[in-house]
Amino acid sequence: WSSSDPFLLGMYARPIYNITVANEYLRESADAKVAGRGITGNDAAEIKKTRAEVRFIRAFNYWAMMDLFGKSTFIDETNLIGTALPGEKNRAELFAFIESELKAIENEMASVKTIEYGRVDQGAAWALLARMYLNAQVYIGAPKYTEAITYAKKVIAGGYTLHSNYAQLFMADNHK
């Protein structure tokens, strides 16, 4: 393995790209920008809802960086592209950021199973928190099994179940 391996390069570049796009959406959909464009009513409310989903996507991509590489360059919507070099966060710092983001958006996201297929809801945030807490010993050096159980139970109580036929998970119509 080396930094020139195309698969490793892709696994590093894609989450960073996704984070950059998410940050741009968050910057452009801020309340002041939306109001400044004259967007009001239901349209403004819908934009506000999507911000929580985008924050989840950004948190998920930072989780991938934390899990795969143990650290990541770090940018958020306050960093303008091309104005300064990004900072870097280690695993513990990323864990704290991701955890705080997921908890902050938990009640802003759609309730479990109320949003169309392909979009994220509270269950996605709970599942990612459960996974993070299950691996907290590796990420931050401290176990968080009680928290993992708490969030796994939320996912289960939300009505999510494991599919009975493992091979079908890899079919092209996996949403059916």
Side-chain angles (χ1 to χ4, degrees):
W1 301 104
S2 74
S3 61
S4 63
D5 183 284
F7 293 105
L8 285 177
L9 183 59
M11 277 307 303
Y12 184 86
R14 179 51 61 170
I16 296 301
Y17 172 77
N18 293 343
I19 290 164
T20 302
V21 172
N23 285 334
E24 187 63 20
Y25 181 84
L26 293 171
R27 195 174 10 263
E28 292 300 318
S29 64
D31 289 343
K33 290 239 180 175
V34 169
R37 292 185 178 107
I39 301 170
T40 60
N42 289 339
D43 290 338
E46 185 59 29
I47 289 170
K48 192 170 191 126
K49 287 180 192 175
T50 61
R51 289 177 55 81
E53 292 180 63
V54 171
R55 287 174 69 186
F56 170 85
I57 291 167
R58 179 178 64 181
F60 178 83
N61 280 276
Y62 273 126
W63 167 80
M65 295 299 290
M66 174 182 70
D67 191 64
L68 294 170
F69 300 103
K71 63 182 177 178
S72 178
T73 54
F74 185 84
I75 51 174
D76 65 17
E77 67 274 18
T78 64
N79 301 107
L80 298 178
I81 296 172
T83 58
L85 291 174
E88 183 178 272
K89 288 192 183 284
N90 63 33
R91 246 186 189 149
E93 293 167 324
L94 286 170
F95 185 97
F97 173 77
I98 298 163
E99 180 183 37
S100 69
E101 277 288 279
L102 294 174
K103 287 185 172 186
I105 63 173
E106 181 177 356
N107 293 322
E108 296 174 15
M109 298 182 79
S111 298
V112 174
K113 295 190 166 191
T114 63
I115 199 159
E116 71 229 39
Y117 176 77
R119 292 181 65 184
V120 292
D121 60 21
Q122 288 175 325
W126 298 337
L128 186 53
L129 280 166
R131 178 180 274 182
M132 281 181 42
Y133 290 141
L134 188 61
N135 293 295
Q137 184 73 45
V138 172
Y139 297 148
I140 61 172
K144 290 192 173 269
Y145 298 119
T146 302
E147 293 89 339
I149 291 168
T150 298
Y151 279 94
K153 283 182 177 179
K154 284 184 172 198
V155 172
I156 293 165
Y160 292 100
T161 59
L162 297 177
H163 190 63
S164 60
N165 186 334
Y166 181 75
Q168 288 179 344
L169 296 174
F170 302 96
M171 297 176 76
D173 62 348
N174 66 357
H175 66 289
K176 296 179 182 175

